[in-house]
Amino acid sequence: MPISSKQFGLAYLDAGEIGAYLERNSGHVLSVIGFGREVTLPATACAPLWVDIPVLGDKQSSFEVWTSNDPVAACEHKGICGTVDGKVLFASLTLPQRAGETLESLASQAYMRIFEFIDHFDYCNLLRVWHYFPQINDDENGLERYRGFNIGRHAAFVANGRSIGEENVPAASALGSNSGSLTIYFMAGKHPGRAVENPRQVSAFYYPDQFGPKSPIFVRALSVTLGGQDCFFISGTASIVGYETLHLGDTEKQTAETLLNIRTLLQQLPHYDPAQGRMLLKVYVRHEHDLAMVQDKVNAEFGASCKAVYLHSNICRSDLLLEIEGAYFNDAR
Ligand code: 3EB
């Protein structure tokens, strides 16, 4: 029998690939997140999470699968189900928004529960967080829902005595979904990662209040070594320079600016080697008709060796027409 060596990392798969992949990585799957049309999947330690964001291109569904080099065990605490491998914890939560309840309050509850969960299992360092919720740019009690979300997230950080700065703030993404409620999934580590900010951009936690009463809390990228892999998690990145959106109404220029922001983050990574590592991107496009142009630009920047998934979703500022998140893995020396 060949010894199967499992790798810590991430794969983006389609419906035809995921069954065999889960089987091959049996006992080592940390997390499965599905986008687009739901399909039945084989059982894993934790049930797959579904996010109602359509997949663009020729496939109807796309799966994000995180695996570990080490055996994975399920864990549960106060209704949240997760997985652990000894160095990271993965979990998700979906909170329904009841009548009369604000997204601000929901965001605060969600983060209070996340902090309690990761502290309970002693994986106290949030490394990467994904947030999805519907009507992200719509008004709720006189405030855009994304801005309300930021108030609630901020309140939970303060209530937990968590510092808001480069140490101990995760990389993140926040996008609009078509339905469902507030859905958050996250990876937390036994040890903190190293934040990498973008010198072209003001840190999100220092945005001025013209973008909402409380700033978003995330770092532009986070570098961490896990299971023999140098991992670089790139937050949702958009056409923002300083703190302002550039190229209003021009998706082509926003794409170029976004790719320059990503390049600027990668340039700060000592182990970045496009010929060696593995790059994966999730590209969120607001208008479907921009897909081909965005694909061309992403392919020109990263080449065919990069795995990119294109999703049709709203972005957290109404003037942003696309956002790109990334993950880059390299064998640690
Ligand atoms: C930006 O640069 C774009 O609120 O967690 C990107 C990544 C963005 C994460 C978040 C928001 C978030 O401000 C928006």
Side-chain angles (χ1 to χ4, degrees):
M1 276 251 297
I3 298 164
S4 58
S5 71
K6 305 289 197 303
Q7 203 172 44
F8 184 89
L10 167 66
Y12 296 150
L13 305 163
D14 63 44
E17 299 167 321
I18 183 158
Y21 189 85
L22 293 180
E23 200 150 301
R24 197 157 68 243
N25 287 281
S26 175
H28 291 259
V29 176
L30 284 162
S31 183
V32 178
I33 305 99
F35 296 86
R37 200 171 69 190
E38 291 200 32
V39 301
T40 308
L41 294 176
T44 42
C46 220
L49 179 70
W50 281 92
V51 178
D52 184 11
I53 294 183
V55 179
L56 292 172
D58 53 354
K59 298 282 170 23
Q60 308 256 16
S61 316
S62 180
F63 301 90
E64 174 174 349
V65 182
W66 289 86
T67 54
S68 175
N69 56 314
D70 288 319
V72 167
C75 63
E76 197 270 335
H77 179 64
K78 295 198 175 172
I80 300 179
C81 169
T83 53
V84 287
D85 73 349
K87 54 189 178 291
V88 296
L89 170 157
F90 257 91
S92 69
L93 72 174
T94 300
L95 298 185
Q97 189 170 350
R98 298 195 176 78
E101 203 171 24
T102 60
L103 187 68
E104 171 187 334
S105 141
L106 221 57
S108 164
Q109 289 169 48
Y111 264 88
M112 295 299 283
R113 292 184 63 187
I114 289 169
F115 290 141
E116 187 188 341
F117 187 80
I118 65 176
D119 288 346
H120 175 80
F121 290 107
D122 201 23
Y123 290 80
C124 306
N125 305 280
L126 271 185
L127 301 175
R128 185 66 175 90
V129 185
W130 292 261
H131 317 93
Y132 299 102
F133 54 93
Q135 280 103 41
I136 190 166
N137 302 127
D138 289 6
D139 182 282
E140 185 176 279
N141 302 330
L143 195 68
E144 187 186 43
R145 275 163 58 84
Y146 174 65
R147 298 179 182 209
F149 170 84
N150 280 323
I151 301 175
R153 170 169 54 183
H154 188 273
F157 268 79
V158 171
N160 280 269
R162 289 196 167 239
S163 61
I164 300 168
E166 284 188 29
E167 43 333 288
N168 239 340
V169 163
S173 304
L175 283 305
S177 56
N178 283 359
S179 70
S181 190
L182 175 61
T183 295
I184 302 180
Y185 63 98
F186 55 91
M187 176 185 2
K190 284 273 176 197
H191 305 288
R194 184 176 64 86
V196 174
E197 287 295 284
N198 183 345
R200 305 182 76 237
Q201 296 183 307
V202 171
S203 291
F205 40 84
Y206 296 140
Y207 280 168
D209 62 12
Q210 72 189 87
F211 301 102
K214 293 292 176 199
S215 298
I217 301 176
F218 65 96
V219 293
R220 299 295 177 183
L222 187 137
S223 153
V224 61
T225 302
L226 297 167
Q229 291 292 307
D230 284 333
C231 310
F232 194 52
F233 304 134
I234 301 171
S235 290
T237 304
S239 178
I240 295 173
V241 175
Y243 48 76
E244 227 116 36
T245 301
L246 292 197
H247 317 303
L248 298 183
D250 188 332
T251 313
E252 194 162 349
K253 286 188 177 153
Q254 286 203 8
T255 307
E257 201 70 55
T258 301
L259 290 170
L260 176 52
N261 277 329
I262 291 177
R263 213 180 303 148
T264 305
L265 291 168
L266 289 168
Q267 277 163 0
Q268 297 178 69
L269 196 64
H271 60 79
Y272 180 59
D273 177 356
Q276 277 232 329
R278 296 171 300 286
M279 175 68 86
L280 299 104
L281 300 175
K282 254 153 89 195
V283 183
Y284 303 93
V285 181
R286 188 185 285 274
H287 302 302
E288 192 167 2
H289 60 79
D290 288 326
L291 176 65
M293 182 274 298
V294 174
Q295 275 176 320
D296 284 349
K297 283 204 148 23
V298 169
N299 288 341
E301 178 81 21
F302 290 104
S305 62
C306 159
K307 174 78 186 182
V309 170
Y310 293 82
L311 302 172
H312 188 199
S313 66
N314 289 330
I315 323 292
C316 65
R317 282 189 192 181
S318 55
D319 52 15
L320 290 173
L321 302 170
L322 86 158
E323 182 170 307
I324 303 178
E325 67 176 54
Y328 175 74
F329 301 89
N330 216 339
D331 297 343
R333 290 128 311 151

